[in-house]
Amino acid sequence: MRIVLMSLATRLLPVTSVLTASVLLAGCGQLGDSASGDGRRAVASFYPLAWVTERVAGDAWTVENLTQPGSEPHDLSLTIAQTAALEQADLVVLEDGFQPAVDATAAEADAPVLDAAEVVDLLPASETEEEHAAHEEHEEHEESGEEGHDHDHDHGDVDPHFWLDPLKVADLADAVAEELADADPDNATTYTDNAADVRAELEQLDQDYTAGLASCERTTTVVSHDAFSYLSRYGLEFEPIAGLSPDAEPTAADLARLQELIREEGVTTVFSERLVSAKMAETLADDLGVTTAVLDPIEGLSDDTSDEDYLSLMSENLTALQQANGCS
């Protein structure tokens, strides 16, 4: 009789509850293997943050990347499973302003949050001469008490792509180690040691870039979107087709300026990316009879790079830059 009653109770469960549970279980299986680690779970919002967190945490944590390979991180919308994973995490690693959907959910969750933008020194966002002039005019209006036009660009805007500077990634690794140690003091030494190992690798990568780009025939580098400013400290000048957002559309004036620049500077290569359409870069290159190549902003993995990691992709970028700019 007891078995019959349990069966009847099960059949009376609301259909929506069963469906919701199924979705959550299926989604969590896609995010990561929660059976690994020691029961502690960290959620990182996109690939570079996930790579750092996983390297520092080691086997003691399960690290889940909210942005799946092949997805553009700016466009991330959280599923029910991802929202649940974020809310139940022992640590959330994100970069405020880069993925609004993640920011909003994290603000409502009780999970501890490490914001990369607070622990890494970010560069100010670059702006065109027209934008700069507009901002100066806006400031003059404010100082005189006149009403000026509203501008979407905040004067405090920053360039979020810090992970293209290996030394800034090392700074993030140190901050991750501190957060993990706060959550798990017994393994604090392990996290500190792991972060030190990561820093050593990143310092070597920094040295490779410094030496590899020290002597180049050209320094002007045309790229798909404005994601590579952090590499400028190695002596290169990056000219983007689009702005900070990879799906931004360049104006006719932008394209005309780039065409003139490519001719004047003898640029041989226009770089495209893996996660967004290469059409703009290919069209610009075809019009001028130059080649195209891939320079990965490493915002996320693609289907083609799902077996690679941050270090290998940065090394491939270095090789691509050397070939395009005639570096020896």
Side-chain angles (χ1 to χ4, degrees):
M1 182 63 68
R2 182 177 302 171
I3 295 175
V4 172
L5 289 174
M6 290 177 65
S7 177
L8 288 173
T10 300
R11 283 192 288 175
L12 290 175
L13 282 173
V15 173
T16 55
S17 297
V18 175
L19 289 175
T20 300
S22 299
V23 170
L24 286 171
L25 289 172
C28 287
Q30 294 172 357
L31 285 171
D33 180 8
S34 59
S36 62
D38 293 337
R40 298 182 183 85
R41 299 177 64 186
V43 169
S45 60
F46 61 105
Y47 177 70
L49 308 187
W51 180 81
V52 173
T53 305
E54 188 172 36
R55 286 293 309 273
V56 176
D59 295 332
W61 291 63
T62 296
V63 179
E64 301 173 357
N65 180 6
L66 293 177
T67 305
Q68 300 300 308
S71 301
E72 219 294 320
H74 295 85
D75 300 332
L76 179 66
S77 296
L78 297 180
T79 64
I80 294 174
Q82 290 172 320
T83 300
L86 191 153
E87 292 175 344
Q88 296 167 10
D90 297 295
L91 177 65
V92 177
V93 185
L94 53 76
E95 183 177 10
D96 184 61
F98 192 71
Q99 295 169 296
V102 177
D103 297 342
T105 303
E108 299 295 327
D110 293 330
V113 173
L114 172 60
D115 177 8
E118 293 185 353
V119 299
V120 174
D121 291 330
L122 301 179
L123 295 175
S126 61
E127 59 185 13
T128 65
E129 292 181 5
E130 291 81 3
E131 289 172 330
H132 181 68
H135 296 159
E136 286 189 335
E137 179 183 357
H138 180 60
E139 288 176 351
E140 289 173 359
H141 283 301
E142 286 183 334
E143 290 174 359
S144 63
E146 301 177 18
E147 292 185 4
H149 297 290
D150 291 333
H151 298 284
D152 293 333
H153 179 86
D154 185 347
H155 289 278
D157 275 358
V158 293
D159 184 338
H161 305 89
F162 72 89
W163 55 89
L164 291 172
D165 182 337
L167 299 184
K168 292 187 183 296
V169 178
D171 292 339
L172 176 61
D174 292 338
V176 170
E178 292 180 8
E179 290 290 335
L180 298 179
D182 286 344
D184 179 23
D186 291 342
N187 289 310
T189 300
T190 298
Y191 304 137
T192 301
D193 291 345
N194 289 347
D197 291 341
V198 172
R199 176 173 287 278
E201 291 178 290
L202 294 170
E203 288 177 347
Q204 180 59 58
L205 180 63
D206 173 63
Q207 292 174 19
D208 292 343
Y209 265 77
T210 300
L213 299 175
S215 179
C216 300
E217 296 175 8
R218 295 168 294 280
T219 58
T220 301
T221 309
V222 178
V223 294
S224 182
H225 90 283
D226 192 7
F228 300 94
S229 294
Y230 286 88
L231 291 177
S232 296
R233 69 183 186 83
Y234 298 110
L236 299 182
E237 300 171 9
F238 291 91
E239 295 289 343
I241 300 174
L244 284 174
S245 175
D247 57 359
E249 290 290 337
T251 66
D254 292 332
L255 293 175
R257 183 185 67 83
L258 284 174
Q259 288 176 340
E260 182 178 358
L261 183 70
I262 290 171
R263 294 190 186 98
E264 289 180 350
E265 299 295 330
V267 172
T268 64
T269 307
V270 175
F271 285 108
S272 63
E273 303 172 16
R274 289 189 175 95
L275 293 179
V276 296
S277 172
K279 183 177 179 180
M280 287 190 299
E282 291 173 348
T283 299
L284 180 60
D286 289 345
D287 288 344
L288 296 172
V290 298
T291 61
T292 58
V294 171
L295 194 66
D296 199 331
I298 320 183
E299 294 178 352
L301 297 178
S302 68
D303 294 335
D304 294 334
T305 62
S306 58
D307 293 332
E308 298 198 52
D309 69 358
Y310 171 82
L311 294 173
S312 67
L313 291 172
M314 283 291 286
S315 294
E316 290 176 12
N317 279 350
L318 174 56
T319 299
L321 290 169
Q322 290 174 310
Q323 292 175 347
N325 291 303
C327 306
S328 58

